[in-house]
Amino acid sequence: MQPETEWTVGSLLDWTAQYFVKKGCDSPRLDAEVLLAHSLKLKRIDLYARYNEDIQEDAKAKFRDLVRRRAEGCPVAYLVASKEFYSLPFFVNQDVLIPRPDTECLVDVALRIAKKENWKTILDLGTGSGCIAIALAKSLPLVKIVAVDISPKALVVASKNAIANKVADRVCFVEGDLFTPLEKGLAFDAIVSNPPYIPDSDIKDLDKDVKDYEPRLALSGGGDGFSVFDQILLGAGSRLNAGGHLFIEIGSPQEEPSRARFQAYPQFQLHPTILDGGRNPRVLHATKIVPTP
Ligand code: GLN
């Protein structure tokens, strides 16, 4: 590194982006900018107005530590304890999966139908950071959401996010395994879920940033990746109102086997698979058929 006194916002960004390239980061410049903005308590966009300014020693020390941890593989979202999802801010720590842009297509489609059909209630299974439930609640001011997670630590994060996004009065967080904590007879207009779906044999091939840092509980879908999916499918029918909607996120290679699983559930009508921003199959969508009188 150059002598301490020579670092400006611009030169430090350039140096760090180069360093992250060497360390194999996917988005080196962006990571450098987000970490430097965080260290300087600025918005990323404001870095450019200060391009030639020197950096205070305390911010530099903080930045150096973040750069080291990023180079070791820690995801930026954990380093800055936040991630944007559906244009809303979410607090994250290692107790929850980092919200992915891939999941936004689930929220998009669910919102469109919710508004048209005037949903009153939604169940979110495996809420994690709460990102799906909170994004839905934010755009649907009359809807009440029950959000379940088996991890009490994840629920601490999700509750914090509901408060920060001002929807805590309409999202009720419940600890437990999928449907088990729900009162008998309780049914919803929709069920949404991004369950863990990575097959155990694929976990070792995940990026180091994911494998070594994100909670295994939120990733591992058991031997074939479908252990949670299958439990959701088994229980969803009796927890949906007639005509109610089910949305489940899947891994892209799972489209065919996941759709095939619906054949055992004739009470569901399966709709076309929802594609994510990268045009990959991402969310299965089905409705509970309204019984004919
Ligand atoms: N989309 C995540 C990943 O590929 C996995 C999320 C999940 O298992 N629900 O890392």
Side-chain angles (χ1 to χ4, degrees):
M1 274 202 175
Q2 299 166 26
E4 293 288 307
T5 48
E6 288 182 29
W7 290 109
T8 60
V9 167
S11 64
L12 198 51
L13 279 180
D14 291 342
W15 186 91
T16 309
Q18 285 301 319
Y19 179 66
F20 283 161
V21 170
K22 277 189 246 150
K23 291 288 174 182
C25 298
D26 285 341
S27 48
R29 180 83 195 182
L30 176 65
D31 291 3
E33 289 180 3
V34 172
L35 295 180
L36 187 57
H38 181 74
S39 306
L40 293 168
K41 300 192 176 71
L42 292 175
K43 292 206 176 77
R44 186 158 70 91
I45 189 92
D46 296 330
L47 290 175
Y48 286 86
R50 298 173 186 238
Y51 215 71
N52 296 316
E53 285 183 20
D54 290 335
I55 297 172
Q56 299 291 317
E57 193 48 50
D58 54 342
K60 219 180 320 182
K62 174 153 198 213
F63 181 63
R64 205 178 289 125
D65 176 55
L66 294 175
V67 169
R68 180 184 54 76
R69 286 157 67 199
R70 176 69 196 114
E72 285 167 6
C74 186
V76 170
Y78 290 143
L79 292 173
V80 302
S82 97
K83 178 74 183 178
E84 194 175 286
F85 177 81
Y86 222 74
S87 302
L88 298 170
F90 286 87
F91 165 74
V92 290
N93 62 21
Q94 283 185 252
D95 296 326
V96 297
L97 197 77
I98 299 165
R100 309 284 204 265
D102 292 345
T103 305
E104 293 183 345
C105 66
L106 188 160
V107 177
D108 268 337
V109 178
L111 278 181
R112 205 174 327 125
I113 301 170
K115 287 175 185 166
K116 202 164 68 190
E117 297 187 357
N118 217 356
W119 294 353
K120 305 271 186 302
T121 55
I122 301 174
L123 171 65
D124 177 20
L125 296 172
T127 196
S129 64
C131 64
I132 297 177
I134 291 165
L136 290 171
K138 197 77 191 164
S139 292
L140 301 169
L142 298 176
V143 158
K144 291 210 164 36
I145 301 183
V146 174
V148 179
D149 206 289
I150 199 164
S151 157
K153 286 181 173 173
L155 289 173
V156 171
V157 174
S159 305
K160 204 167 154 167
N161 282 323
I163 293 166
N165 283 295
K166 302 191 170 58
V167 293
D169 54 333
R170 290 182 299 108
V171 185
C172 170
F173 293 103
V174 182
E175 184 188 330
D177 188 5
L178 300 175
F179 303 99
T180 50
L182 302 177
E183 215 174 281
K184 206 163 162 265
L186 197 59
F188 300 82
D189 294 330
I191 297 175
V192 296
S193 183
N194 175 13
Y197 54 66
I198 311 284
D200 283 344
S201 56
D202 291 0
I203 298 263
K204 63 178 186 330
D205 302 321
L206 293 174
D207 282 351
K208 188 176 179 304
D209 308 23
V210 178
K211 186 175 49 185
D212 293 351
Y213 290 89
E214 300 203 69
R216 199 54 63 93
L217 190 62
L219 291 167
S220 169
D224 60 359
F226 286 106
S227 71
V228 183
F229 181 99
D230 286 341
Q231 290 175 61
I232 293 175
L233 206 44
L234 189 65
S238 61
R239 292 297 184 171
L240 277 173
N241 295 324
H245 294 257
L246 173 63
F247 295 90
I248 314 181
E249 180 169 328
I250 53 163
S252 294
Q254 295 170 326
E255 187 188 15
E256 216 187 300
S258 59
R259 292 187 71 90
R261 284 169 141 81
F262 273 85
Q263 283 164 11
Y265 296 88
Q267 76 266 45
F268 280 110
Q269 181 190 355
L270 193 53
H271 302 291
T273 305
I274 299 164
L275 307 181
D276 64 22
R279 312 296 297 158
N280 299 306
R282 186 58 62 196
V283 175
L284 292 197
H285 173 206
T287 36
K288 182 176 167 182
I289 291 168
V290 185
T292 40

